[in-house]
Each structure stands twice: as C-alpha cells, then as structure tokens.
Amino acid sequence: MGNGIVILGAGESGVGAALLAKSKGLDVFVSDLGKIQDVFKNELLENGICFEEGGHSQDRVLKASEVIKSPGIPDKSALIIELHKKGIPVISEIEFAGRYSKAFMIGITGSNGKTTTALWCYHILKQAGFDVALAGNVGTSLARTIINRDPAVVVLELSSFQLDGMNKFRCNVGVLTNITPDHLDRYNYIFQNYINAKFRITQNQVKDDIFIFGKDDPVINENLLHFNIQSGQETFSVKKKATAYIDADNLVIEYKNRIVKIPVKDISLSGKHNLYNGMAASIASIAAGANENDIISGLSNFEGVEHRLENAGTHNGVKFINDSKATNVNSTWYALDSMNQPVIWIAGGVDKGNDYSELFRLVSDKVKALICLGLDNRKLISDFSGKVPTIIESSSMEDTIIQALKIAHPGDVILLSPACASFDLFNNYEHRGRLFKSCVANLKNNPEIKL
C-alpha cells in the first residue's frame, strides 16, 4: 500500500480536493510544478496541509496510494507515465469528490456552449427554489462545494480533461452540446481521441439516467453507435422534431409529460447557438424536476455568460464585443455568424491545431480587418492573407484597441473572438477578456484613444 493521497497541481481543483481529503481524515500531500498562487497557498497553510511548489518530489509522489491530477497536466507527462507504470491510480478531482456526494449530478460537456448551458441550467433550478450548486470547470471545484454540505442537485461543467480522469463517476443527466475539433494538441492530433473523451459523459450511466445531445451535430450522430450507451436519450434541434425543437417562431419542449412553449423572441439570449444552449439546459432542468413555468421564466430572464459574446460598450459609434471565451474555431464561427455589421476581428494566441478553413466564407463576407494578438501569428496571417483587406499584428491588448479604432467607422463592431488559447500573453481567457473590457472602459476618459 502507498502512503496516502498525492495531489498534483494546486489550483482550484487541486486545493479543493486537498481540503476535502483533509476533512475526511485522509493523509494528503500537494505538489505543484510551478509557483502556487498566494490565495491557494494560504488555504493549504491555514489547514495544515503539506505541500511543495516549484517541482515534484518524484520519490514521494511515486509512493502514493492514489494520485489526484489537475486537469491541466497532460497524460503524456513523464511523471504521469511513471505513475501508470507503477499501477498507481491517477484520477480527477471530480472522480474523487463524487465518492462523497449523493447529489443528483447533471454533467454538461461539449466543445462549445457548455459554460452557458451549465450556468443557464443552474439559473433555472436556483430560481425555481431547488437546493442546487454549480461546480466543475465553471469556477468552484466539486470537492470544495461538498465539504460542508451535500446539495440535492449539482450542475457540473465538465471539460474533456476532467472526463479523462473519471472512471466510476456517474452523471444522472449527461449533456453533450456538440463536438468540433478542439484541444487536439492534448489528443495526439487525433480527433477520434477527443471524441472518445467527450462521450465519457455517458459512461456508468444506467437505464434510468438521461443522455441529452444535439441532434443536429454530425459528429455526435456519427459516433452514437460506437458507444454502449445505457441511458435514455433526449435530443434538441433547430431543424427537426426532437425533445426540444423550433416550430415556426416558438421553442417547444415535449418531455416527461410536459409541454413547454415559448416564443423565440422572448428568450433572453439571441443567436442559434443560444437556442441550442437553452434547449439543452431546459431538458436537463426538467429531468431534475423543474416545471413548465420554471423553464419559461428561466429562459426569458437569464443574463448570459461573461466573455461569451458580451457587450463591452460603445465608443464613437463603434461597438465592442468580448468573446474571449471563444478559444476554438467553432466558437468563433458562431460569433462571426451572429454579426450583422462590418467586423474588425481580434484573434490569435496559442494555436491548438486549428483548421481555419470553416471561417473563410464568413471572414470574407463580414471582416474588414484582422488584428492578430499573439506572440506567433504566422498561421493566422498565412491562412487569411488575401481573404481580409487589412491584417495587423499586435502583442498587447492596449495596442490592439488603438489599432482597431484607427480603422473603425461608426457602425462597425470590434470583436474579440480569438479562436485560440490565451496562455502566450494572458493568464487565461478571463484575464484576456477583462483586460479587453478595461481598455474599452478607459476610452471614455480618453477621447484621443490613448490608453
């Protein structure tokens, strides 16, 4: 037997797992390859949890009885490979926390829309008076959420990395919004590996559970029969009749002997992608016990997600849209598709194996200028040369806004929708989005555009 639990990574999920393990009387040690943020380090110190930073003590890690791995650590890292060789179980924080919860679990994943769907589902249930918590990739770890109480329902946003480390965890409701190529650098640039990770949302489900998925998504449909799905299946579509569908100008849901009907114009978030998100959230909420009035109310008064097609303000007749959460090509496709004015598009960052070809038509039709915000913009410039009248490079958000405003006219939209990860210039997509909004806010005090 090993010597207790080792947690690799001291971010939100790692420290949440450490706090939960400590509360259960388990021997726990936290190891982080980098520097631990002060807020997390203080929590570890205050709770008497042993930790190290700036490197892993391999001898100590390899004596663990079980390792809980941060989602950000790839399976191909040398230490993880060594753990597997020694037969030491490596799991996710979600897998670990799930052992200590009896909550009705709604797990939501997908290449795009999972955050909006999770927050929307949580909003519907919370507003309806359910004892519900929101956890996972959306902010608070599941482990931290259940330390002091076990809610009746948990809405979990699950990334493919979190799903990779889940073996026995079971979603009573599993939602798969869509699958488009993303994070291929983590999956050996093999799309099927990523698809397999997403379908892990259905593993361990039984016949009384529910699997909700996008009926219009070709990748999901092509792969459904490859997996031994035991749960009941419910679907949503804007094209054809499904559990939730669009009929003329109404969104209709027929599920569990309930019929919900709401005019599309009354749904608080616009765009086809948000119809999908709202339908998925609604079916999941009904599965958890919400009624027709709960759904109609929740669809009509949800305020949306920060960094996802968020209105960041207007300056001299030019509108700014913060879509920093668009870290892949398909997210950016939805953003560009929803634009009805000339676009100055800010893109770039860490490319994850992107294929930009699906954007070519939209970019040719709608984009008057592309500003590449990243340390290495060669692929963006190569792919869009000749398709956009103006391409500019920038390596700071302040300079990007200045350059954008120099070529913008009243009625234009300056859209931050990067299609890339943020880690070359920013801490994460939230940091990127908030800096964008801060720069826009500063314009009000500076009519000469100097930031």
Side-chain angles (χ1 to χ4, degrees):
M1 285 295 291
N3 298 322
I5 289 173
V6 169
I7 297 171
L8 299 179
E12 170 58 31
S13 68
V15 173
L19 294 171
L20 178 60
K22 176 81 173 181
S23 75
K24 300 300 179 184
L26 301 174
D27 178 26
V28 59
F29 175 66
V30 178
S31 176
D32 198 303
L33 194 60
K35 188 176 186 302
I36 301 175
Q37 290 181 39
D38 288 344
V39 62
F40 293 128
K41 190 186 294 188
N42 291 336
E43 282 192 298
L44 295 171
L45 289 168
E46 287 164 10
N47 287 276
I49 296 170
C50 295
F51 67 90
E52 65 179 354
E53 59 182 335
H56 299 306
S57 299
Q58 187 152 320
D59 288 348
R60 185 161 186 179
V61 174
L62 294 175
K63 288 176 182 170
S65 56
E66 188 169 53
V67 170
I68 301 169
K69 176 180 79 69
S70 161
I73 300 172
D75 288 330
K76 56 191 172 190
S77 77
L79 183 55
I80 302 303
I81 290 170
E82 194 62 31
L83 285 163
H84 287 314
K85 278 184 188 172
K86 288 188 169 292
I88 298 169
V90 180
I91 63 170
S92 70
E93 166 263 327
I94 301 282
E95 175 81 2
F96 175 68
R99 297 170 184 171
Y100 300 98
S101 176
K102 293 188 171 86
F104 184 89
M105 293 290 179
I106 300 174
I108 298 170
T109 195
S111 302
N112 299 298
K114 58 184 179 293
T115 300
T116 301
T117 302
L119 287 170
W120 212 336
C121 181
Y122 172 74
H123 169 77
I124 291 168
L125 294 173
K126 185 74 173 174
Q127 186 173 262
F130 284 75
D131 174 22
V132 59
L134 179 69
N137 199 47
V138 75
T140 304
S141 61
L142 177 60
R144 185 189 295 274
T145 299
I146 64 170
I147 289 169
N148 296 317
R149 72 179 190 92
D150 193 18
V153 183
V154 175
V155 179
L156 281 170
E157 181 194 325
L158 297 172
S159 70
S160 58
F161 302 161
Q162 288 168 316
L163 289 164
D164 284 335
M166 284 165 42
N167 304 314
K168 295 181 179 176
F169 185 89
R170 171 185 160 207
C171 294
N172 303 100
V173 174
V175 178
L176 180 52
T177 57
N178 49 58
I179 303 179
T180 59
D182 197 8
H183 301 298
L184 295 188
D185 51 334
R186 273 284 288 263
Y187 292 98
N188 297 319
Y189 296 94
I190 298 171
F191 187 29
Q192 189 63 49
N193 292 347
Y194 174 67
I195 293 167
N196 296 346
K198 287 300 188 188
F199 267 94
R200 286 172 74 90
I201 195 85
T202 65
Q203 71 175 359
N204 306 317
Q205 284 196 313
V206 298
K207 62 180 177 58
D208 292 334
D209 296 330
I210 302 297
F211 175 45
I212 301 165
F213 62 91
K215 194 172 182 179
D216 300 339
D217 189 277
V219 177
I220 295 176
N221 284 299
E222 286 163 15
N223 283 272
L224 272 174
L225 296 179
H226 299 174
F227 300 90
N228 184 24
I229 298 170
Q230 300 295 311
S231 51
Q233 297 181 18
E234 306 295 338
T235 58
F236 53 92
S237 170
V238 297
K239 296 178 182 175
K240 54 185 84 76
K241 193 156 181 179
T243 309
Y245 58 95
I246 303 302
D247 180 24
D249 296 323
N250 295 301
L251 188 159
V252 182
I253 305 164
E254 299 179 15
Y255 179 47
K256 282 199 165 183
N257 298 318
R258 301 185 186 283
I259 297 179
V260 179
K261 193 171 185 179
I262 177 173
V264 168
K265 66 179 177 58
D266 291 346
I267 296 170
S268 60
L269 302 186
S270 60
K272 184 167 73 171
H273 59 295
N274 280 320
L275 288 177
Y276 285 133
N277 298 335
M279 287 189 277
S282 297
I283 300 169
S285 298
I286 294 171
N291 64 34
E292 297 93 320
N293 291 334
D294 298 333
I295 300 300
I296 290 169
S297 176
L299 286 174
S300 61
N301 62 16
F302 177 60
E303 293 184 352
V305 178
E306 187 181 14
H307 312 298
R308 189 71 186 107
L309 290 172
E310 177 188 14
N311 185 351
T314 302
H315 180 74
N316 293 343
V318 177
K319 189 174 184 179
F320 291 83
I321 300 290
N322 169 28
D323 196 43
S324 182
K325 199 173 189 311
T327 58
N328 60 49
V329 171
N330 195 246
S331 277
T332 294
W333 186 95
Y334 279 116
L336 289 170
D337 186 56
S338 69
M339 296 295 122
N340 297 313
Q341 298 159 274
V343 175
I344 296 166
W345 174 35
I346 302 167
V350 179
D351 186 293
K352 298 181 287 185
N354 288 353
D355 176 2
Y356 292 111
S357 61
E358 69 178 275
L359 299 180
F360 288 168
R361 182 189 60 78
L362 280 171
V363 167
S364 295
D365 289 348
K366 301 192 177 199
V367 175
K368 62 186 281 185
L370 165 61
I371 301 180
C372 303
L373 175 59
L375 293 179
D376 184 355
N377 302 309
R378 287 173 295 180
K379 188 173 179 184
L380 272 171
I381 293 169
S382 170
D383 282 12
F384 289 101
S385 289
K387 299 177 179 67
V388 183
T390 303
I391 298 179
I392 299 168
E393 284 197 86
S394 177
S395 59
S396 78
M397 187 63 77
E398 292 85 352
D399 179 62
T400 297
I401 301 297
I402 290 170
Q403 295 298 333
L405 279 171
K406 281 180 179 176
I407 50 180
H409 295 101
D412 289 352
V413 172
I414 296 175
L415 169 70
L416 172 67
S417 189
C420 296
S422 56
F423 306 120
D424 56 344
L425 292 172
F426 310 98
N427 298 336
N428 46 43
Y429 76 81
E430 291 102 331
H431 177 217
R432 177 170 61 190
R434 286 175 187 145
L435 192 57
F436 176 77
K437 292 194 290 183
S438 172
C439 290
V440 174
N442 287 342
L443 293 172
K444 293 176 184 175
N445 305 320
N446 207 326
E448 296 183 5
I449 314 177
K450 292 178 183 176
L451 298 171

